[in-house]
Amino acid sequence: MLLLGLDPGLRHTGWCVINSIQDKNSWVASGNISPKISLTLSERLKGIHQGLVSIIKEYQPSVAAIEEVFVNMNGQSSLKLGMARGTAIAACSINEMPVHEYSPTRVKQSVTGSGRAKKDQVASMVRILLPGCIINSEDESDALAVALCHTVFANSKIHQMNIRK
């Protein structure tokens, strides 16, 4: 399965495509969608949407995994992050891709073994788990971690039971 991993953000939306065949994962591509900060909110969301649609058309992944919103003390920042996340989910859904959501703690736990791992620990494990991958930013690394998290859960018995319901 080709899997699209997403780490949504209004400044930088990290994305990746990995190939997952049984327990073997390989890096295909990754990057960031980074709309100009000078654009209006609606133009930035449009840029994220257009960027994701372009990636989906190029790589044709069959499923997407996205990180859930991390709610912080700044309500305005959380709201804007939610908008970027909603735009990403809509881009996938419009293109007939199921979207699976994972909390930041679950992503870190599945990749590093610790739900409290630091960003550099996550990036180090991603490099180990996906030899040859090229990581240029934290957002890209986070998207790769989300995709790897999904491969762990997609192959689990519990996940398979939930799909059949």
Side-chain angles (χ1 to χ4, degrees):
M1 109 177 121
L2 278 179
L3 168 65
L4 176 64
L6 297 168
D7 178 44
L10 201 51
R11 287 184 177 207
H12 307 287
T13 290
W15 65 271
C16 73
V17 176
I18 67 170
N19 193 16
S20 181
I21 301 171
Q22 295 173 353
D23 291 334
K24 194 135 172 89
N25 300 313
S26 59
W27 175 79
V28 176
S30 57
N32 285 313
I33 300 167
S34 302
K36 292 181 182 177
I37 296 171
S38 61
L39 295 174
T40 65
L41 176 63
S42 63
E43 291 170 325
R44 291 166 80 183
L45 294 171
K46 178 182 174 184
I48 292 168
H49 183 270
Q50 289 174 331
L52 287 174
V53 167
S54 176
I55 291 161
I56 292 166
K57 286 185 189 224
E58 181 175 351
Y59 295 101
Q60 300 194 355
S62 57
V63 64
I66 191 167
E67 192 168 64
E68 291 178 349
V69 172
F70 172 77
V71 179
N72 59 31
M73 296 299 285
N74 185 335
Q76 192 73 339
S77 294
S78 294
L79 181 62
K80 287 180 180 177
L81 175 59
M83 289 179 197
R85 188 171 173 279
T87 298
I89 291 170
C92 294
S93 182
I94 289 166
N95 285 280
E96 306 297 329
M97 289 175 47
V99 180
H100 300 271
E101 305 173 58
Y102 298 98
S103 71
T105 303
R106 177 162 280 182
V107 171
K108 291 174 186 177
Q109 175 80 38
S110 66
V111 173
T112 68
S114 170
R116 296 184 178 267
K118 305 281 187 228
K119 293 253 186 204
D120 62 327
Q121 293 171 309
V122 172
S124 292
M125 282 306 298
V126 165
R127 284 185 179 92
I128 291 168
L129 295 169
L130 292 170
C133 72
I134 300 168
I135 301 173
N136 294 311
S137 71
E138 284 184 352
D139 303 293
E140 201 172 339
S141 173
D142 288 350
L144 287 158
V146 171
L148 289 168
C149 175
H150 179 70
T151 66
V152 169
F153 287 95
N155 293 326
S156 74
K157 299 277 187 213
I158 292 172
H159 178 78
Q160 295 300 323
M161 287 172 35
N162 287 335
I163 288 176
R164 289 184 190 123
K165 286 183 181 179

